[in-house]
Amino acid sequence: MTALDGATVRNPDELRADMVRTLRDQDAITSEPVAAAFSAVPRHRFAPEAPLSLAYDLHSTVPVKKDEHGLVLSVMSAAHLQAVMLEQAGIEPGMKVLEIGSGGVNAAYLQELVGPGGEVTTVDIDRDIVERARLCLDEAGYTQVKTVVADGESGVPDGAPYDRVIVTAAAWDIPPSWIGGLAEKGRLVVPLTVCGTTRSIAFDHDGDSLISRSYGLAHFVPMQGEGAAEERKAMLRDGVVVRTDNVRVPLSAPALNRALDAPRLERWSGAAYDLPDELDLYLTLNLSAVARLHADKEAIERRLVEASALLGVPALVSEDSIAYRTRRENEETGGYESGVVAHGPQAEALADEYAHLLRRWAHDHRRRGAATFRYLPGPAPSPLPQNAVPRRHGIVTATWN
Ligand SMILES: C[S@@+](CC[C@H](N)C(=O)[O-])C[C@H]1O[C@@H](n2cnc3c(N)ncnc32)[C@H](O)[C@@H]1O
């Protein structure tokens, strides 16, 4: 098989070698075992219906299944993200690993990493996906990988304890089975979603809780089944949506629509704007009533909301008002300056809180990896600690250093 890449006809081995080289250059692959796994697995054989160039593209997913409304239920994850998560996992030969969310190719990487003495189990809620993964794994020679059809919310107790649990769908919570199924020195790598923004977090045990060792930006299809996200949406005018997963946050579409009609208040922080993913994470976990504001291109062109909402932006909301981040060019703050746009009767108060956080982040925490996450399983303590995000099975907290 060959692929057209510009004018050149490429074969899978060349494409794979290029992929590994670039993943190393971009620091997605940082260890020899992960490089060897990515070099060994014939990635294209897990996406037989896709063009070779797509299967080997670093940042592209390959669609595998959609529902009747066109919502994507399963994809082959992007190589870059898979590499980063496998590095986070720190897998060694002989380990027992559970993957939640199947597709085949990541399980094959896992099998390469644990070697013949290790064990890989992959579970998916969707029978079609498991059957497809099984076929691809067998055809590529990874017959040793175990495939299971089940809701990953309950883990796969048969093979526990696992040295590593790797979740490959966006999780809204960490169910007891994942923690209980993890060996004492085990590690859970999970794309955890808080208010619409997801980070792949590597958690180790720390007494009765889990503590993060690393995290990175991640995009995944959402978890289905028992563990699906609890989220509310307010559809404002055409192309503008506000979403939140926090029950304490008020969300009234009529009131927020009235707010958008009110004149806008602009407040500039005087602080640098950069590392938008790190800043958004800080805002998401520190604003007192956080939602995520999304707008499509037309709504932005009609100047209903700022361009920052195109990819989703953390918003501070009250019953009748809303504030969110924006930016402007400013050489004095290193290129860009962060700011706030607020609407509604409480615009002043919301803009003050928002701008204060923009300044605090820029002055004290403006670097990669400054956050540490903790997951505390069990009933939420009362009163709930500041910065705590309540979930069904525990709470998430984050601190910045
Ligand atoms: C991004 S795909 C997995 C990609 C795959 N690991 C690979 O090798 O590329 C996410 C998968 O998670 C599955 N999934 C969603 N909710 C699940 C659940 N509760 N339990 C198990 N699998 C689930 C979906 O069916 C989908 O196949």
Side-chain angles (χ1 to χ4, degrees):
M1 262 194 290
T2 54
L4 278 176
D5 179 25
T8 336
V9 177
R10 316 286 307 277
N11 69 44
D13 295 342
E14 282 176 3
L15 288 166
R16 192 155 58 255
D18 271 3
M19 174 186 78
V20 173
R21 209 172 303 120
T22 318
L23 288 172
R24 278 182 188 272
D25 289 348
Q26 296 185 357
D27 285 335
I29 291 182
T30 54
S31 73
E32 290 313 314
V34 173
F38 272 70
S39 302
V41 174
R43 189 176 173 82
H44 59 289
R45 296 185 64 179
F46 294 86
E49 55 291 279
L52 280 177
S53 53
L54 183 65
Y56 283 100
D57 187 88
L58 297 196
H59 297 284
S60 295
T61 57
V62 177
V64 173
K65 187 172 179 179
K66 293 183 181 173
D67 74 4
E68 66 276 21
H69 310 293
L71 189 78
V72 178
L73 297 175
S74 187
V75 298
M76 179 168 95
S77 300
H80 190 280
L81 182 51
Q82 287 174 325
V84 168
M85 289 179 75
L86 291 173
E87 292 291 3
Q88 283 186 290
I91 294 161
E92 289 169 20
M95 282 186 167
K96 272 171 100 173
V97 183
L98 173 64
E99 181 194 42
I100 295 173
S102 310
V105 70
N106 200 50
Y109 292 144
L110 291 168
Q111 188 63 58
E112 289 287 342
L113 288 166
V114 300
E119 267 181 45
V120 176
T121 304
T122 181
V123 58
D124 202 288
I125 198 167
D126 188 325
R127 182 170 296 280
D128 294 346
I129 299 300
V130 175
E131 284 174 3
R132 181 184 180 279
R134 179 77 269 159
L135 202 70
C136 294
L137 284 163
D138 288 346
E139 283 183 4
Y142 295 93
T143 51
Q144 211 184 330
V145 172
K146 289 187 193 144
T147 46
V148 177
V149 183
D151 186 338
E153 173 84 358
S154 310
V156 181
D158 276 359
Y162 297 98
D163 300 298
R164 299 290 183 263
V165 175
I166 303 201
V167 184
T168 65
W172 190 76
D173 197 1
I174 301 182
S177 69
W178 299 356
I179 302 176
L182 206 56
E184 206 184 312
K185 290 194 183 309
R187 176 169 291 178
L188 167 70
V189 180
V190 55
L192 198 62
T193 299
V194 175
C195 198
T197 188
T198 306
R199 297 292 178 277
S200 166
I201 306 178
F203 280 112
D204 289 349
H205 286 291
D206 185 34
D208 292 337
S209 62
L210 297 174
I211 188 158
S212 67
R213 298 296 176 210
S214 65
Y215 66 91
L217 196 59
H219 295 283
F220 273 101
V221 296
M223 194 70 77
Q224 306 165 44
E226 286 282 308
E230 282 172 15
E231 204 187 53
R232 287 171 298 139
K233 265 188 201 172
M235 312 293 281
L236 306 191
R237 57 209 69 199
D238 279 355
V240 184
V241 180
V242 184
R243 306 156 59 183
T244 188
D245 60 6
N246 189 324
V247 285
R248 294 170 299 178
V249 173
L251 213 56
S252 155
L256 293 180
N257 256 323
R258 272 195 301 279
L260 281 185
D261 286 333
R264 59 189 253 145
L265 174 91
E266 236 174 53
R267 173 114 356 128
W268 294 100
S269 69
Y273 167 82
D274 64 1
L275 301 177
D277 54 321
E278 292 284 352
L279 172 58
D280 277 14
L281 185 66
Y282 181 75
L283 294 169
T284 300
L285 283 137
N286 287 281
L287 287 166
S288 59
V290 72
R292 203 162 174 87
L293 172 70
H294 293 264
D296 65 18
K297 244 174 127 184
E298 281 151 37
I300 288 163
E301 274 161 15
R302 279 160 44 221
R303 307 201 60 121
L304 281 175
V305 289
E306 293 284 311
S308 55
L310 192 59
L311 298 174
V313 63
L316 177 60
V317 294
S318 66
E319 294 74 17
D320 56 10
S321 306
I322 182 163
Y324 63 97
R325 179 185 58 64
T326 185
R327 63 167 201 189
R328 68 178 176 190
E329 282 185 32
N330 186 344
E331 285 311 316
E332 282 171 24
T333 58
Y336 284 98
E337 176 188 2
S338 60
V340 191
V341 170
H343 295 265
Q346 296 173 57
E348 287 274 353
L350 298 192
D352 283 349
E353 177 183 333
Y354 210 120
H356 170 70
L357 287 178
L358 291 173
R359 279 191 286 271
R360 216 167 74 187
W361 178 80
H363 294 149
D364 299 339
H365 312 297
R366 184 159 63 98
R367 61 185 164 277
R368 286 230 164 266
T372 302
F373 298 87
R374 203 172 264 283
Y375 186 84
L376 293 111
S382 175
L384 204 58
Q386 218 201 345
N387 292 358
V389 180
R391 288 296 187 245
R392 288 185 200 109
H393 304 293
I395 60 169
V396 182
T397 64
T399 48
W400 268 259
N401 39 51

